[in-house]
Amino acid sequence: DLIYVTIASQGSATYSNAIMARDAFYAQVPDAEKLQIHVVDSKNYTGVYGYPVMQAAAKIKKGASVEEVLNYLTEWFQSAEVLFVPLTLKYAKRSGRISAAAAFAGELLGLKPLIRITDGVSKVETKIRGDKNIIPTMSKYIQQRMIPRTPYSLVAGCDDTFANELKKELVKKLGYQPEHLFHIGATVSCNAGPDVVGIIIRSEPRIDAE
């Protein structure tokens, strides 16, 4: 068995290309179906699928069945989401994620968007006024949306300062440590900027998730 987890199908053709490649392989190679290829849409980006893939690999090493691993991945991707705040709006404006007018107004008023990504779709949850309110606002939203006692991971850019502050706040509020700290890569940086603070959590499973 081969389990291949792709980046969100909403933002990339990787998933559909993998399905086509698998089907072409089965059609062209005799006895190809002896190799079971499972293509899984992560529905998200970066550590949102990186963390469960690492956990899935650990489960396989411990003897978990393919069915158990696929069920784990499916359940994770149906409930995983990321909440993050870009600390500058310059890059979101350049990428077209927000309009130049909205970016200008945000910078003028000192507003930062709290963005949630689920199933590859981003949504601005609220706008935070002033850097000192970023961590308290994120903490409030996290506690509202997160399934209690589930693992969580932090996300940061070039600077871990805000991520470390969020960690301290959440350990105090939740009573346990994050699993991991993920640093964003070039693609996310192009859209959100090199300085962000975020968190990967599990919320209630989406009813319309496949």
Side-chain angles (χ1 to χ4, degrees):
D1 290 271
L2 184 153
I3 301 173
Y4 176 52
V5 181
T6 75
I7 196 170
S9 60
Q10 283 277 67
S12 169
T14 307
Y15 176 76
S16 59
N17 288 343
I19 294 293
M20 289 192 294
R22 180 193 63 186
D23 293 346
F25 174 66
Y26 284 154
Q28 295 174 22
V29 179
D31 300 324
E33 292 189 6
K34 289 181 180 178
L35 172 62
Q36 294 297 309
I37 302 174
H38 312 274
V39 182
V40 181
D41 180 5
S42 74
K43 304 179 186 292
N44 223 302
Y45 307 97
T46 188
V48 189
Y49 72 91
Y51 173 78
V53 166
M54 292 190 293
Q55 294 300 305
K59 290 177 183 293
I60 291 170
K61 286 183 179 180
K62 292 179 180 178
S65 67
V66 171
E67 183 180 8
E68 289 172 331
V69 171
L70 289 173
N71 286 340
Y72 164 74
L73 290 171
T74 299
E75 290 172 1
W76 175 273
F77 295 134
Q78 285 178 345
S79 63
E81 63 181 57
V82 60
L83 290 159
F84 75 98
V85 175
L87 302 180
T88 175
L89 301 180
K90 178 172 63 175
Y91 297 87
K93 177 177 69 176
R94 288 179 180 174
S95 69
R97 298 289 174 175
I98 60 174
S99 69
F104 176 77
E107 290 170 348
L108 189 65
L109 298 172
L111 299 175
K112 304 286 194 302
L114 173 60
I115 301 170
R116 175 165 60 92
I117 301 179
T118 54
D119 299 331
V121 178
S122 61
K123 175 187 176 184
V124 175
E125 289 289 300
T126 189
K127 295 173 183 175
I128 305 169
R129 184 186 293 273
D131 288 358
K132 64 179 176 33
N133 292 317
I134 290 176
I135 300 306
T137 303
M138 290 189 71
S139 177
K140 182 185 76 172
Y141 270 82
I142 290 162
Q143 291 177 78
Q144 288 174 350
R145 298 196 57 81
M146 183 177 172
I147 299 174
R149 304 304 304 176
T150 52
Y152 66 97
S153 295
L154 301 177
V155 178
C158 297
D159 189 342
D160 294 352
T161 301
F162 277 92
N164 288 331
E165 289 180 17
L166 183 59
K167 175 182 176 180
K168 290 178 183 178
E169 178 70 11
L170 291 178
V171 170
K172 182 170 65 175
K173 297 288 187 182
L174 303 177
Y176 60 102
Q177 298 278 339
E179 294 284 312
H180 201 80
L181 171 62
F182 289 96
H183 288 93
I184 61 172
T187 301
V188 177
S189 294
C190 286
N191 289 283
D195 289 318
V196 302
V197 57
I199 188 169
I200 299 160
I201 62 171
R202 293 189 68 172
S203 60
E204 290 300 321
R206 267 83 69 188
I207 296 174
D208 59 349
E210 295 180 359

